[in-house]
Amino acid sequence: MSEKITENDLILQRKTKLAELRSEGNAYPNDFRRDSLSEALHAQYGEFDNETFEANPKHVSVAGRIMLQRIMGKASFITLQDMDGQIQAYLRSNDLPEGQYENFKTWDLGDIAGISGKLFKTKTGELTIHADSVRLLTKSLRPLPEKHAGLVDTEQRYRKRYLDLLTNEDSLKVFKLRSQIIGEIRSFFGEQDYLEVETPMMHSVLGGAAAKPFTTHHNALDMDLYLRIAPELYLKRLVVGGLEKVFEINRNFRNEGLSTKHNPEFTMLEYYTAYADFEDQMIFIESLFKSVTERVLGSSVVETNDHKYDFSKPFKRLTLIGAVAEKLSVKEEDLRKREVLESLAKKSHLEDYKDLSEGRLLFELFEAEVEESLDQPTFITGYPKEISPLSRISDDDPDFVDRFELFIGGKEIANGFSELNDPEDQADRFKAQVEQKASGDEEAMEYDADYVEALEYGLPPCAGVGIGIDRLVMLLTGAPSIRDVLLFPQLKSKD
RNA sequence: GGGCCGUUAGCUCAGUCGGUAGAGCAGUUCGCUUUUAACGAAUUGGUCCUGCGUUCGAGUCGCAGACGGCCCA
C-alpha cells in the first residue's frame, strides 16, 4: 500500500514551481471552462483552409494535459491531450497578454492547461489553436513516462493504470471498447424488454456456482457472509416474482488462483428468460454476439492476432461426450464405462480420479483435453447431472441435463441451461451438494432452504445464461490476458 | 505448487572476461517567432529489487527472499 514515495530533483523542481504558483494566488483554480474537445475540432474543422478561417474566424477554448512541447525562443508549439484525443496549440509571445509566455516557459510536460484562441492551419496543414490566452490549471509534480515509448513495464502499467491510459493509446482503446461493449449489451437486452436489476453481493448461503468463496463479517448483525460467487439464485427468485425477463451485469468473486484467464473479481452478465429453454438461449446468444460485434466493431467478423471469428454464422454444436470421444479417438459408448474413463483420467494426470463420479470424470477429461482446442465458437451440450445441480434433467436421459457451455478461442465464454424448477428435485440436489461438501469438495454448494421455498411457489419454466464479460472483451479486443481488460487487476501487495 | 525469464537514472533501455555505472528521452542553462519524436550547445541526476555469501575487488558469480511476466499442474 505505502510504496515509498521517491523524492528526486525532478519532483523538487516542480514543487518549487508550485510554491511560486501558490504565492501568486490559488494554485488550483477551477473556473476555466472549455467549449471544445480535440477530436471534435479535427472532425469539424480538419478540412478547413486558412482563407476560410480568415473569412470566418473560429475562437475556441480547450483544456488538457501537455504531452509534447516545441519551444523556439519567442514562439512555441504544444500538444494538448484531452479525453477525446490531441490538438496542437501555437503560443506566440507577442499574441499573448503580458507575462503569459514567460510563465508558460516554466510549465512542464504533464501539466494541465487551459488554452483559448483562433483556429488556423500550419504550413504542414495541421489544425492548430493560435493562443490568445493560456492558463496553468493543475501543476503536475511528477514527470510522465517517456514520451514515445510510453509506460512499458507491465507491473507499473497495472499498478499505475492512470499512467498507462495517459501514455498508451492502445490501452485506452481497450477500455473505451469495453465500455461500448457493455453499453451495447445493455441496449440489446433493453430492446428485448429485459429488466436490469442488481441483487446482493453479500450472501449468507453459498450457491449459484461451483467455486471457493471469500468470506467477510457483518459486525452489527454479528454474521458471517460470503461475497457472491454468482447471482443465479437471487435472479431466479425474481423470475418467481414475475420478472420474466431479467438480467444483471455485475461482479462475482471467487477465491481461486490468478491467471491470464482468472481474476478474483470479474464481471458477469446473467440473464433469465421465462418460457424458453436452453436451445432457445443458444440461438439468443448467437444473435447477441452478432449484434454486439456489428454495433461495436462495425462488423460481425472479428479478426485479432491470428484468429478470425465470424459471428454472423451459427455456432458449432457438439455434445460433451462426442467432443471427448473425437479428441481422444475413443468410441462414445466406451466413455460410459468406468474403466475406460479411469484409464483416460490416469493418462491425463487427473488428481484423485478414482474418487470421481463417471459424469465428473467425463467433464474433467473434457476440461483437460478438449476445452483449449475449441477455437471457433462451439456450444457443448449434454452435461452430467451431478456437476449441474441447478439444471433441468434432460427428457432424453436422466443422467444428463439441458445445459450448454460456449467456448471461443479455447476459453469458456458462457454457461446456460434450462432451469430446474421442480422444488423437490432441487431439494434433493442441494442435499447431494451438502454431502459432497462434507466429503471435502470445497466448491460444492450449500442447502438454500429459502430458495427451495421460492421454487415451491412456482418458478415458470425458464432458461438462464451467464456470460463472462471480461473474457468477451478479451475476445473482441485481442487482449492476451484478463489483466489487459481490467482497469485495476488484482496484484500482490509490495509490502 | 513447479520451471523459465525479468528487475540498472523519473521513463525506455545498454552494460564485454568480475576491475572507476552508460545512452536516448525528461530536467537544468544558453540560443532559436510555423514546430511536429523540433533543433544546436553545455550540464545535473544511481539503494544497479533486498539480504547473505565467494573474492583483493560484485550490476556481473553463488544462495535465500520480494515483486512482475510466461508456461506447466
Side-chain angles (χ1 to χ4, degrees):
Chain A
M1 210 153 107
S2 59
E3 190 178 346
K4 206 194 282 176
I5 292 171
T6 49
E7 291 277 324
N8 61 28
D9 284 352
L10 298 175
I11 294 171
L12 289 175
Q13 282 162 8
R14 288 175 180 230
K15 285 196 168 176
T16 305
K17 291 176 183 176
L18 175 62
E20 181 69 18
L21 288 170
R22 287 191 199 282
S23 74
E24 289 164 1
N26 192 339
Y28 290 92
N30 190 356
D31 58 349
F32 181 87
R33 295 293 173 265
R34 64 179 169 192
D35 58 25
S36 304
L37 290 173
S38 57
E39 274 309 306
L41 290 175
H42 287 297
Q44 197 173 351
Y45 300 111
E47 301 304 316
F48 278 43
D49 57 24
N50 280 328
E51 267 179 39
T52 318
F53 279 130
E54 272 156 37
N56 202 356
K58 300 290 175 196
H59 191 271
V60 299
S61 293
V62 297
R65 200 179 285 272
I66 301 172
M67 301 305 284
L68 294 170
Q69 52 187 14
R70 296 169 287 283
I71 296 175
M72 306 161 296
K74 297 205 163 48
S76 299
F77 287 91
I78 63 174
T79 303
L80 211 64
Q81 179 168 301
D82 62 18
M83 62 181 278
D84 219 18
Q86 297 187 332
I87 191 156
Q88 177 173 262
Y90 177 52
L91 281 61
R92 196 165 166 262
S93 175
N94 293 357
D95 300 331
L96 289 168
E98 184 77 27
Q100 281 197 5
Y101 191 79
E102 286 62 41
N103 284 340
F104 155 74
K105 288 231 247 178
T106 69
W107 298 356
D108 293 293
L109 290 181
D111 286 355
I112 295 167
I115 292 179
S116 301
K118 290 196 184 85
L119 291 173
F120 77 108
K121 284 289 190 65
T122 62
K123 278 184 198 167
T124 55
E126 179 167 351
L127 184 68
T128 303
I129 299 165
H130 190 138
D132 56 33
S133 171
V134 296
R135 272 181 83 188
L136 183 58
L137 303 179
T138 304
K139 184 69 196 166
S140 169
L141 297 179
R142 287 174 176 270
L144 290 180
E146 210 268 343
K147 65 186 182 187
H148 322 119
L151 188 63
V152 171
D153 182 77
T154 318
E155 183 177 354
Q156 294 305 318
R157 286 184 48 231
Y158 296 153
R159 288 191 196 276
K160 299 183 178 168
R161 183 66 89 182
Y162 47 94
L163 294 179
D164 180 42
L165 294 170
L166 275 176
T167 59
N168 297 323
E169 203 187 344
D170 287 348
S171 185
L172 179 63
K173 267 190 202 158
V174 166
F175 292 104
K176 284 185 170 175
L177 211 57
R178 180 185 172 112
S179 173
Q180 287 169 28
I181 290 165
I182 293 172
E184 291 299 346
I185 289 172
R186 281 211 161 87
S187 303
F188 187 85
F189 279 92
E191 286 157 17
Q192 310 217 22
D193 300 323
Y194 282 79
L195 190 74
E196 180 168 8
V197 297
E198 291 178 86
T199 62
M201 309 293 268
M202 296 195 289
H203 291 184
S204 53
V205 179
L206 189 67
K212 291 178 209 161
F214 289 92
T215 55
T216 186
H217 185 78
H218 191 291
N219 290 340
L221 296 175
D222 187 22
M223 171 180 163
D224 286 332
L225 291 162
Y226 301 111
L227 297 187
R228 77 177 193 190
I229 56 173
E232 173 153 357
L233 300 182
Y234 281 96
L235 289 170
K236 285 195 281 196
R237 282 174 173 91
L238 295 178
V239 182
V240 171
L243 308 188
E244 294 171 357
K245 298 172 99 177
V246 68
F247 77 103
E248 175 165 9
I249 298 174
N250 225 324
R251 223 67 66 79
N252 288 346
F253 305 86
R254 296 187 182 173
N255 203 343
E256 290 162 6
L258 286 72
S259 80
T260 51
K261 291 190 274 187
H262 300 87
N263 194 68
E265 52 181 304
F266 61 99
T267 301
M268 187 83 135
L269 158 67
E270 265 198 35
Y271 63 93
Y272 291 83
T273 313
Y275 313 111
D277 69 6
F278 76 118
E279 303 264 6
D280 299 316
Q281 294 300 8
M282 288 192 273
I283 292 163
F284 185 93
I285 287 182
E286 287 170 346
S287 74
L288 172 69
F289 277 47
K290 180 171 184 285
S291 171
V292 168
T293 51
E294 277 173 359
R295 293 195 214 177
V296 174
L297 306 171
S299 163
S300 56
V301 180
V302 177
E303 282 189 86
T304 54
N305 309 327
D306 42 356
H307 296 267
K308 184 174 173 180
Y309 308 105
D310 184 350
F311 292 110
S312 68
K313 296 193 291 197
F315 302 171
K316 216 166 132 183
R317 293 174 194 214
L318 293 171
T319 61
L320 188 73
I321 200 165
V324 173
E326 190 188 326
K327 183 75 183 182
L328 300 181
S329 307
V330 292
K331 289 182 184 159
E332 280 191 34
E333 52 264 39
D334 289 340
L335 287 175
R336 295 176 191 272
K337 296 174 188 151
R338 177 149 196 111
E339 64 272 20
V340 175
L341 288 168
E342 283 200 10
S343 84
L344 292 170
K346 191 176 179 186
K347 249 190 260 176
S348 293
H349 309 290
L350 298 186
E351 276 176 37
D352 304 323
Y353 61 88
K354 284 190 191 300
D355 302 335
L356 302 178
S357 69
E358 285 82 15
R360 185 168 284 278
L361 275 172
L362 181 66
F363 177 65
E364 293 204 0
L365 276 172
F366 170 81
E367 282 192 320
E369 301 293 338
V370 185
E371 178 169 330
E372 206 171 290
S373 64
L374 297 174
D375 181 45
Q376 288 300 310
T378 305
F379 286 118
I380 298 292
T381 58
Y383 280 79
K385 175 186 170 185
E386 62 267 37
I387 58 164
S388 315
L390 304 169
S391 307
R392 181 179 182 277
I393 299 283
S394 164
D395 291 335
D396 304 328
D397 186 337
D399 292 332
F400 290 85
V401 294
D402 287 340
R403 175 180 174 189
F404 67 84
E405 289 189 320
L406 171 63
F407 296 87
I408 309 175
K411 286 189 275 288
E412 182 195 338
I413 300 290
N415 174 27
F417 38 88
S418 300
E419 302 301 335
L420 174 58
N421 63 341
D422 174 344
E424 294 176 351
D425 187 0
Q426 184 66 76
D428 290 342
R429 305 257 207 119
F430 276 146
K431 280 179 203 153
Q433 287 289 307
V434 170
E435 280 166 26
Q436 280 183 33
K437 197 161 201 104
S439 63
D441 183 354
E442 288 179 272
E443 297 190 346
M445 295 180 195
E446 295 177 349
Y447 193 101
D448 194 332
D450 183 80
Y451 175 68
V452 173
E453 184 178 331
L455 291 189
E456 286 172 351
Y457 284 95
L459 172 66
C462 64
V465 176
I467 297 179
I469 294 295
D470 309 297
R471 290 183 183 179
L472 179 60
V473 175
M474 285 170 71
L475 187 70
L476 300 188
T477 59
S481 168
I482 196 168
R483 296 180 197 101
D484 298 324
V485 303
L486 298 171
L487 282 167
F488 298 102
Q490 190 65 51
L491 297 181
K492 222 167 164 175
S493 161
K494 290 207 107 173
D495 297 336

